[in-house]
Structures are given as C-alpha cells and as structure tokens.
C-alpha cells in the first residue's frame, strides 16, 4: 500500500513538472511570436518568418527576452529556431500552392 502511494506521488510530481515545462514553452513561443511579428499586425507572414530566421539581432532579442522570464537555455533557442524554420518551410509550401498564408498567434504556437 505504501509503495502504491509513493508511486502515485511520483506520478503527480512528474505530471506537475511536465505541466510547468509546457507553460514555460508556451511563454517562450509567445515571446518569439512578438519578435517575429515585425509589423505588430497580430499575424505572421512568410516574409516575417524569413526575416527573423536571417536576423541574428532578432535571435539575440529572443534570447534576452527568454532570460528575463527565466526560461532560456541555449538548446531552447536553437530548438525554437529549428521549429520556426520548419513552420516557415511548411507555410511556404502552402503559399506556393496559391494560398496566401499568415498565421495568428495560436497557429504560430501550434506550428512551432
């Protein structure tokens, strides 16, 4: 019985850790969206994503903002850059099919 209670407690602790990490990631992606949305329109275009990917200043600003909220690790910034590239690539394919695509914040968060 004691072992079962301990196991439940460990599972609850793991779940709490995963939820905290998920919230941390959401905050990071929200910060990233604000930086990528250069014209502050509330949506991100292919051009804005492309510009952000090629601009080291934007990536440094992201790194600094993430440090302010206490969630930046070098691997996190690299992973988000990769996620942004993959999202840009997928969005570009849709755009080439004749669909002008701009992503709102929730689509951006889901995509990254």
């Amino acid at each position: 019985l004691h072992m079962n209670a301990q196991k439940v407690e460990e599972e609850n602790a793991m779940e709490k850790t995963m939820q905290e990490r998920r919230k941390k990631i959401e905050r990071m992606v929200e910060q990233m969206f604000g930086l990528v949305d250069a014209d502050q329109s509330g949506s991100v275009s292919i051009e804005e994503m492309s510009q952000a990917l090629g601009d080291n200043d934007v990536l440094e600003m992201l790194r600094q903002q993430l440090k302010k909220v206490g969630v930046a690790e070098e691997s996190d910034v690299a992973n988000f850059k990769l996620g942004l590239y993959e999202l840009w690539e997928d969005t570009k394919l849709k755009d080439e099919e004749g669909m002008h695509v701009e992503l709102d914040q929730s689509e951006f968060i889901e995509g990254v």
Side-chain angles (χ1 to χ4, degrees):
L1 189 62
H2 177 66
M3 300 268 294
N4 286 340
Q6 185 177 0
K7 185 175 180 179
V8 167
E9 196 172 302
E10 288 174 4
E11 288 174 359
N12 288 341
M14 280 186 9
E15 179 66 27
K16 183 178 179 184
T17 300
M18 288 174 55
Q19 287 176 349
E20 288 171 359
R21 176 133 175 90
R22 203 171 303 129
K23 286 182 187 273
K24 182 175 162 179
I25 290 169
E26 283 180 28
R27 285 195 311 259
M28 286 190 277
V29 178
E30 287 170 2
Q31 293 287 326
M32 186 180 208
F33 179 84
L35 291 172
V36 174
D37 185 15
D39 63 3
Q40 302 301 300
S41 66
S43 62
V44 172
S45 67
I46 292 173
E47 293 79 17
E48 287 172 316
M49 286 188 272
S50 180
Q51 182 181 3
L53 283 165
D55 189 341
N56 288 331
D57 290 340
V58 169
L59 296 174
E60 183 57 31
M61 287 171 46
L62 174 63
R63 185 176 288 111
Q64 294 303 319
Q65 286 192 3
L66 295 177
K67 283 183 180 179
K68 283 182 187 175
V69 292
V71 293
E73 293 179 21
E74 202 57 41
S75 62
D76 291 332
V77 176
N79 287 337
F80 280 103
K81 184 175 180 181
L82 178 61
L84 178 60
Y85 177 79
E86 290 175 350
L87 180 60
W88 169 82
E89 193 173 55
D90 291 346
T91 305
K92 188 167 174 50
L93 288 173
K94 289 179 185 174
D95 196 60
E96 288 173 355
E97 293 172 0
M99 303 161 56
H100 179 71
V101 180
E102 290 206 9
L103 306 175
D104 65 22
Q105 187 174 19
S106 63
E107 293 167 323
F108 183 86
I109 290 171
E110 185 178 317
V112 172

